[in-house]
Amino acid sequence: MNLTEMRALLAAEDIRLTRSLGQNFLHDGNQLRRIVALAGIQSGDKVLEIGPGLGPLTEHLLATGAQVLAIEKDARLVPLLRRRIGGTNALTIVEADALRWLENPNDEEGKPRDWTDWHVVSNLPYSVGSPILVELAHSLRPPRTVTVTLQSEVVDRIRAKAGTAEFGVLTLLLARVFTIGSSFRIPATCFFPAPDVGSACVRLERRAEPLVSGLAAATYIRIVKSAFSQRRKQLRKVLRFNWPEAALADAWNTLALGPEVRPEVVTPEHFALLAERLSRLSAP
Ligand code: SAM
């Protein structure tokens, strides 16, 4: 679907795009092919697409022979999408707010959602891009890969190394479950309308094992969130609000952390060890 077709379709249906829904549609065929190539989608793969919009990416995904489940919030676009490309068993379209939908851990039959064999490929609505990624990382059985287009500033945060300004909560919540693969920038002119922020596509791959799981995973999430509520403060001082001093002293000794270490220089692996230790020693 090129820009001319996109404009014509929107005009014929009298649809005005909504900024709050992040409706910047990708019309550049080369970029769409690059996204599908980065995702490495093969025939028969199961793909979750969040925010299909008019379906330009969906069409490329279907062309690989994948089975696509597409979740779209905008009720004006869903019937349009069904009419355009819905005539195949390979595509299931659900009208829903993807964030609310993912927050429900159970599927429509009441069974826990299992994304183990799934790939997520999406041009995410930028306003809810980070919470959607975090929700996927927190799910009981996270997807195999996640290849998403986001605001480039968010991709920088996902890719950030400890000790940099971009390193923070998002980096750490995703790093528990995923390793970060390649990424590439997408020029604003490839979207309609052109967004006023930079865009980039990034691939995440599920780790063979998460850095921490079970009870310690909940502790990891709690530590990360508390730590970065005051990123310039010493980590141990921040954690004192929620964990007993004796447990912190033990963890600091065991992990040989500097007494004045600040959250922004602690690697995901060290946050994981800290979470393991603190979850064993104390329940806040
Ligand atoms: N995939 C299309 C493309 O590449 O052109 C559209 C991408 S556009 C950046 C984001 C899409 O997500 C829009 O279609 C928008 O209506 C939809 N959307 C916004 N918020 C959503 C939400 N919470 N759940 C599901 N879809 C949402």
Side-chain angles (χ1 to χ4, degrees):
M1 162 175 253
N2 61 33
L3 179 57
T4 312
E5 287 167 320
M6 219 172 241
R7 281 181 191 274
L9 191 58
L10 292 169
E13 300 290 328
D14 198 20
I15 293 177
R16 279 168 190 259
L17 296 181
T18 310
R19 209 184 158 89
S20 63
L21 286 176
Q23 290 180 332
N24 302 96
F25 294 153
L26 186 54
H27 56 77
D28 184 290
N30 286 332
Q31 302 295 340
L32 289 161
R33 277 186 287 276
R34 278 181 93 188
I35 295 170
V36 176
L38 182 63
I41 299 304
Q42 310 276 327
S43 181
D45 279 350
K46 291 192 267 186
V47 176
L48 170 66
E49 185 191 2
I50 292 164
L54 296 174
L57 179 59
T58 325
E59 285 174 307
H60 282 261
L61 291 167
L62 289 171
T64 65
Q67 293 284 326
V68 179
L69 169 60
I71 316 286
E72 173 58 56
K73 182 175 177 180
D74 189 338
R76 302 169 306 167
L77 301 182
V78 170
L80 196 57
L81 194 60
R82 289 215 166 98
R83 235 183 304 135
R84 274 198 69 237
I85 55 173
T88 160
N89 290 336
L91 175 63
T92 306
I93 302 168
V94 174
E95 183 191 321
D97 178 328
L99 190 54
R100 299 281 93 78
W101 190 84
L102 286 169
E103 278 168 0
N104 181 352
N106 296 329
D107 65 15
E108 288 64 28
E109 292 164 14
K111 293 192 204 130
R113 287 193 203 284
D114 185 350
W115 298 114
T116 311
D117 296 331
W118 286 71
H119 302 268
V120 175
V121 186
S122 305
N123 292 334
L124 288 174
Y126 293 176
S127 57
V128 284
S130 304
I132 283 176
L133 291 178
V134 168
E135 205 53 54
L136 287 166
H138 288 355
S139 62
L140 207 55
R141 296 184 183 85
R144 250 166 93 178
T145 67
V146 176
T147 305
V148 281
T149 304
L150 293 154
Q151 217 167 315
S152 46
E153 188 191 286
V154 176
V155 172
D156 293 344
R157 284 199 267 136
I158 293 172
R159 304 195 62 89
K161 297 277 173 255
T164 64
E166 291 79 17
F167 184 76
V169 175
L170 182 64
T171 326
L172 285 156
L173 294 186
L174 299 185
R176 184 181 69 83
V177 175
F178 298 110
T179 57
I180 314 304
S182 314
S183 64
F184 61 87
R185 302 259 159 165
I186 303 181
T189 49
C190 296
F191 296 88
F192 174 74
D196 43 23
V197 293
S199 302
C201 180
V202 63
R203 176 181 158 105
L204 284 64
E205 288 160 24
R206 190 182 63 221
R207 294 178 184 274
E209 290 297 331
L211 289 180
V212 275
S213 53
L215 272 184
T219 307
Y220 177 96
I221 294 164
R222 228 164 26 229
I223 292 177
V224 164
K225 288 184 178 169
S226 343
F228 284 86
S229 62
Q230 301 182 65
R231 65 182 289 144
R232 304 260 164 242
K233 271 202 160 180
Q234 293 171 12
L235 180 58
R236 191 160 156 179
K237 283 192 178 158
V238 182
L239 297 187
R240 245 179 229 158
F241 292 111
N242 292 310
W243 279 271
E245 184 54 45
L248 292 173
D250 177 291
W252 250 251
N253 280 342
T254 311
L255 304 181
L257 289 169
E260 297 183 353
V261 71
R262 290 174 204 282
E264 59 199 6
V265 300
V266 178
T267 63
E269 289 74 12
H270 266 90
F271 268 106
L273 290 169
L274 189 56
E276 293 276 11
R277 196 75 201 150
L278 287 181
S279 69
R280 239 179 287 152
L281 292 171
S282 60

